[in-house]
Amino acid sequence: MKIGFIGLGNMGAPMARNLAAAGHEVHGYDITGILVEGVTQAATVEAAVKDAPIIITMLPNGAILREVADQLLPHASKGACLIDCSTVDVDSARLVADLATKKGLLSVDAPVSGGIGGAEAGTLTFMCGGSKDAFAIAKPLFEIMGQKAVHCGEAGNGQAAKICNNMILGITMIGTCEAIALADKLGLDRQSLFDVVSTSSGYSWTMNAYCPAPGIGPKSPSDNGYKPGFAATLMLKDLLLAQQAAKGVDAATPLGTHAADLYQTFVTEDLDDLDFSAMLPYLAAKGHS
């Protein structure tokens, strides 16, 4: 199958590479001119999508997605399926889906979870919004690029699921880091805290699978100098998208608001763009306020 793939950054490049390795004819375009093994480099967006029954986008934000959609939709084949794997605001996702429908295309908004490692290993999770027919077309490709795809309902619901999930993740990571920092100052050994929390009511993914304390639990970015698995800047992006969505529908998210504010402060002071779990040393250096 011919696939036009727009956006070959840290996530898009390995996703496109995995599709090509599975035997698909992938024509990729990125504004930086990046080359990807097995992927035919297209000179323009229009060239990448020409005669392609599948078009995949992986872009930084909603504004760029809308701009690229304006470029590609007039050149896409009628009946083609547009799969947007970017993480963007819900309104942009729904706008692009509506534009695609008016051009005679199917569409799926399918943001991902799993980070760069998941993209490279083909173990991403896709959260998908759009029609059942569009999801059915996209699902075999999700199975190449990932390990799970969940159909969440109408257009935009994939983005809604992603920002709700990551709001939980951001809030939980802060709580985990606060508890470890408090335990340190109370003289409680980090391993002892982990042994208790990981098997009791404080259990969470951020403690059990992605512990922010080096040398505790399964290997995580904390064991590699907090080199990003999921950068704090990306967590901030998702928390701000959640706040934008919450404001739009008048939803109360007090902890989400505080989490966004704290990550905003952390990112401003973080010169190295560390992993979002580096919130631990940041908080450990602070006093009570």
Side-chain angles (χ1 to χ4, degrees), residues 2-6 8 16 20 25-49:
K2 182 177 180 181
I3 299 172
F5 203 112
I6 314 300
L8 300 172
E25 179 189 346
V26 183
H27 292 248
Y29 173 81
D30 191 275
I31 194 170
T32 65
I34 190 170
L35 297 173
V36 178
E37 181 183 358
V39 175
T40 300
Q41 185 181 32
T44 63
V45 169
E46 294 83 357
V49 306

Side-chain angles (χ1 to χ4, degrees), residues 33 148 162 235 248:
K148 187 174 185 180
K162 172 72 183 283
M235 173 52 74

Side-chain angles (χ1 to χ4, degrees), residues 64-97:
I64 294 175
L65 172 63
R66 295 192 300 272
E67 180 182 336
V68 169
D70 287 340
Q71 289 179 262
L72 73 83
L73 288 175
H75 302 276
S77 302
K78 188 175 181 179
C81 184
L82 172 61
I83 305 169
D84 177 45
C85 297
S86 319
T87 296
V88 302
D89 58 286
V90 175
D91 288 344
S92 289
R94 289 178 174 161
L95 173 63
V96 169

Side-chain angles (χ1 to χ4, degrees), residues 155-284:
N157 280 12
Q159 300 295 344
K162 172 72 183 283
I163 59 175
C164 288
N165 179 78
N166 279 17
M167 185 172 72
I168 294 171
L169 178 61
I171 292 169
T172 308
M173 179 57 79
I174 291 171
T176 301
C177 293
E178 286 185 357
I180 295 172
L182 175 60
D184 288 345
K185 294 191 175 183
L186 292 173
L188 174 60
D189 176 78
R190 288 181 171 184
Q191 185 64 55
S192 297
L193 176 68
F194 177 85
D195 291 343
V196 170
V197 172
S198 64
T199 56
S200 63
S201 57
Y203 173 103
S204 69
W205 187 86
T206 56
M207 177 65 86
N208 289 55
Y210 205 91
C211 186
I216 307 294
K219 189 173 181 180
S220 71
S222 66
D223 298 304
N224 191 27
Y226 295 99
K227 181 179 178 181
F230 184 49
T233 50
L234 296 178
M235 173 52 74
L236 175 60
K237 172 190 171 182
D238 290 351
L239 289 169
L240 292 176
L241 286 173
Q243 288 306 295
Q244 180 181 340
K247 184 177 181 180
V249 295
D250 194 26
T253 56
L255 289 181
T257 300
H258 286 303
D261 289 344
L262 186 53
Y263 269 103
Q264 181 70 74
T265 302
F266 173 57
V267 165
T268 300
E269 298 179 16
D270 175 20
L271 300 178
D272 299 316
D273 193 15
L274 299 173
D275 189 79
F276 84 113
S277 61
M279 183 62 72
L280 175 56
Y282 176 76
L283 290 175

Side-chain angles (χ1 to χ4, degrees), residues 10 18 23 54 93-94 103 141 174 229 259 286:
N10 291 333
N18 287 338
I54 298 289
R94 289 178 174 161
K103 291 288 187 179
L141 301 177
I174 291 171
K286 303 279 185 187

Side-chain angles (χ1 to χ4, degrees), residues 76-136:
S77 302
K78 188 175 181 179
C81 184
L82 172 61
I83 305 169
D84 177 45
C85 297
S86 319
T87 296
V88 302
D89 58 286
V90 175
D91 288 344
S92 289
R94 289 178 174 161
L95 173 63
V96 169
D98 185 54
L99 292 173
T101 299
K102 290 176 179 176
K103 291 288 187 179
L105 277 67
L106 296 170
S107 69
V108 182
D109 57 285
V112 304
S113 178
I116 296 170
E120 292 173 344
T123 57
L124 295 169
T125 294
F126 293 84
M127 295 150 270
C128 308
S131 70
K132 290 182 179 179
D133 289 343
F135 179 72

